[in-house]
Amino acid sequence: MERVCLQAADFLVAPSHYIVKETERHFVILHKNVAVIPNPYEPQAPQPEKSYQQKTEIVFYGKLTVQKGALALLAYFNDLWEAGFAETLVMIGGQDIVYHPEGVTMGDFIRNKYQRYIDRGLLKLEDRIAPNKINSRLSKAKVVIIPSANDNLPYVVFEMMGMGNVVLVSKQGGHAEVVQHGVDGFIFDHFTEGDLELLLKNVLASTNDQ
């Protein structure tokens, strides 16, 4: 049905170039009437500037799903922790989505698999938060990681950048199109071994001026 709808459309609109390319990998688009119009976003009033050294948390913020890169991120951190990395990862977002290969929710799957890190205080899981609490809750983040495995244009990137947070995002999504690597955020590639680890450690070693 999706293939028929795409072929019948006179015009296709997408919020990112990434999703257009991904669509073309799976469907033959018979015309060139395709436009990329990013979703609108109006940032909230800026918060008082806070010293980077006063920020204490490495945060994943989003739904705990495979598509959002939750399991890939945990695999990276598993390797980091086993190598002696002592920083805590805080995962904030809905945990009730079912992980069908195991027949349990993502929250339960992660708790069962990574309980040893939870017990050591290296992994913390928090449920979704109300929109009006985002700024106050995320104000302590020294870096927010958006590790999507395949994504269109998640608003969380706009929200975090609008707050002035440092973002470390995956190349696998339209969000990479709104981040200038090394200028207003950092982009890692899931297909480049060690890329996230290298960039994360660089971010954590940064000074306020940097």
Side-chain angles (χ1 to χ4, degrees), residues 63-74:
K63 293 182 292 186
L64 271 65
T65 66
V66 174
Q67 180 230 343
K68 293 294 183 181
L71 297 187
L73 181 62
L74 283 166

Side-chain angles (χ1 to χ4, degrees), residues 19-200:
I19 206 65
V20 172
K21 292 178 181 178
E22 283 297 295
T23 301
E24 289 176 337
R25 288 180 57 221
H26 301 282
F27 301 97
V28 177
I29 299 176
L30 298 178
H31 57 73
K32 297 299 180 181
N33 298 329
V34 180
V36 174
I37 304 175
N39 295 334
Y41 178 73
E42 184 175 348
Q44 300 181 20
Q47 299 295 302
E49 187 173 344
K50 189 174 184 178
S51 167
Y52 181 72
Q53 269 71 33
Q54 293 176 319
K55 295 172 179 279
T56 58
E57 295 180 333
I58 301 172
V59 176
F60 165 95
Y61 177 55
K63 293 182 292 186
L64 271 65
T65 66
V66 174
Q67 180 230 343
K68 293 294 183 181
L71 297 187
L73 181 62
L74 283 166
Y76 296 140
F77 268 79
N78 182 89
D79 293 342
L80 283 165
W81 289 324
E82 290 302 305
F85 188 69
E87 297 267 7
T88 296
L89 172 64
V90 182
M91 305 189 79
I92 304 173
Q95 305 172 24
D96 54 355
I97 294 172
V98 175
Y99 182 49
H100 290 285
E102 298 292 334
V104 297
T105 66
M106 284 289 289
D108 286 341
F109 176 75
I110 290 170
R111 276 184 285 270
N112 290 336
K113 184 170 183 178
Y114 295 101
Q115 186 63 49
R116 62 192 182 281
Y117 298 124
I118 296 174
D119 293 341
R120 290 163 56 188
L122 292 173
L123 176 62
K124 296 181 180 179
L125 300 182
E126 296 182 19
D127 213 337
R128 59 175 61 85
I129 53 180
N132 63 348
K133 300 289 180 62
I134 293 174
N135 277 13
S136 60
R137 178 61 192 86
L138 275 295
S139 64
K140 294 186 293 183
K142 52 188 171 184
V143 58
V144 180
I145 306 177
I146 296 95
S148 299
N150 185 3
D151 217 337
N152 195 343
L153 190 61
Y155 265 75
V156 63
V157 177
F158 295 110
E159 292 172 338
M160 296 302 103
M161 292 178 73
M163 289 175 57
N165 281 331
V166 177
V167 295
L168 175 54
V169 309
S170 64
K171 184 179 179 181
Q172 284 69 37
H175 44 277
E177 297 169 23
V178 300
V179 175
Q180 292 179 279
H181 181 69
V183 177
D184 53 14
F186 300 90
I187 304 170
F188 76 93
D189 189 346
H190 280 295
F191 296 105
T192 300
E193 186 176 354
D195 205 22
L196 180 136
E197 177 182 347
L198 176 64
L199 288 172
L200 176 61

